[in-house]
Amino acid sequence: MTDPATGQPTAGRPAVHPTTAGMEPAARMIVGLALLLPALIALVWSYLLPSLATLRRSFQDGNPTREPESVGTDNYRQLFEEGLAGPVGFALLLALLPLLFALVAAPLLAVVADRAGPLARRVTRALLALPLAGYAPVALLVCWRAERLEPGSLADQPRGTLIWLVAAISFGLVVAVATTLFLSALRGRASAPATVAALATVGAVVGLGVIAVVLQSFTAPWLLTNGGPARSTTTPMLDVVNQGFRTFRFGLGSAWSVLLLVVLGLMGLLAVGLLVVSRARFEVLAKEKRSPTDGASRLISRVLLVPGLVLFVAFVGWVLWPWLYRGSDGSSIDTGVSLGTVLAYTWLPTFVAATLPVALAAAAGFGIGGLRPLGRWSELLLLPFAPWLFVGTGPLVLDGFLRAQEADRLSTFLGMVPPGWVSIPALVGFTLFFRGQRGSWRAGAGFGRSMVLPALPLLLLVVLATWLCHAQSLLWPLVVAVDPDTTPATVTVARYAVQQPEGVAALARELILPLPIFFAFLVAFVLLQISYLDRLAFRVGAKDHE
């Protein structure tokens, strides 16, 4: 006999049949699909219907002030005549350095940290929490422009300056996220081929994710150059917003959105397909396993790790310093709105957007990965969600605005909640997690001990990360917050950065990610990195019989 969770001999005791771990196959199918149903409804409402509406609108000429008229393929013809290569090419230029950070610097750091031993690995993880907690792109861009860029520098050399600035500000976050994933692929490794396969899978998904995020970049080009001069720093997402909200050509903006949705959809299908084919999963390790690294190799790794971490922390600190340093604040701008009101509209609607969609994703992930309603084919249930894996607010922002306007939700609490009632990246992650944990459940461990308790820290991590990302986002609140009294921090600062640059750095430090909130996120991420993520192992390949 063998243990289905470990594949090791069970010393004569009979293996536990999966039905004895919870329920019969028919019941598992019914309950699993029932848990998936709310996420499917949210997918249709939040992604499928807006995508179809955007496609229909791309063949029309209209805006919120007049009835649309059919124009056939004129919008697409005009886009090709104006040139798609410029915005797409510039976005890919923006992605080059972040790709190097994610696919070169991050795996090197992960390998050295893993081979340096448990203590060194945990120290590395703790330091990775700094750029994660300091995610505040609007504040960093505003403070950098006020403190480190001379007036006119962006107008003189906007393209090179913007590429360099985006790379510098994204360095810490990209390396932190990618290194965390690569470390999971290295944890408790059983063989070199399995480790290489796990690292390659992580690298492919991370690379696709970086390209997808940069293709949807809006904040930096809008805030610093607004696409100029002569559209040399325009990105596809900036063009969507400019066509829709500056020239009021919603049809043309929708055509851009459709092209983005097609590209992002193919990338999402590729990423999910790779995870399904590789049988990827996350497993929570019960205890530290002995490393096969010998003493000399461990010593060399530690010698290499120390200067690497020093450089990493020094660069991240240098990037964050214009925002963290309070000595040169001077007088801030009086917005006429209380700090409490701004913080409430910044953090409360985004908390709703972080909890409900992630909760739906966790339930659906358990339904697919934990209950496995279709047996070994259960991961195929991820395919309906795959085209929108990498789709953010941007490509569907025009339809989202029209929905909010029709429902009279502009500048309301509900309107400030970012659209998307299921988090598709979280759904994929929870599916992989519950699939990895199912082995211990099959082996007879209790449901709470094998499924619920290990999932709670992951749920907290995903909610916190999603909450922080939504609270620091600029695009959605920029289009729906028309009343200054109900404007969140990012939009307040961004508008003053354009209209009244003096004193805006102090305003950014005061409103965007205040230090007490920053330190709260920092403590949470450090604890989660050390006590939980350090035990999370990413695996590929067959494990159990289903």
Side-chain angles (χ1 to χ4, degrees), residues 74 92 111 132 142 148 167 204 209 215 221 243 282 285 291 313 373 390 431 470 475 503 535 546:
D74 285 356
L92 294 178
V111 169
L132 296 176
V142 166
R148 287 184 173 163
L215 282 176
Q243 298 290 2
F282 286 104
L285 302 180
S291 172
V313 174
F390 295 126
T431 298
H470 281 318
L475 178 55
R535 297 170 52 213
E546 304 185 276

Side-chain angles (χ1 to χ4, degrees), residues 86 151 166 197 251 354 372 474 519 531 538:
V166 168
R372 306 194 61 71
L474 175 63
F519 284 119
S531 65
F538 178 80

Side-chain angles (χ1 to χ4, degrees), residues 258-298:
V258 169
L259 297 178
L260 272 177
L261 288 170
V262 170
V263 173
L264 296 173
L266 292 175
M267 294 170 66
L269 285 168
L270 179 60
V272 171
L274 177 61
L275 294 173
V276 171
V277 170
S278 66
R279 306 190 72 180
R281 61 194 179 275
F282 286 104
E283 299 174 3
V284 178
L285 302 180
K287 60 181 179 179
E288 182 75 23
K289 291 188 177 181
R290 290 184 177 272
S291 172
T293 308
D294 58 35
S297 178
R298 177 169 294 189

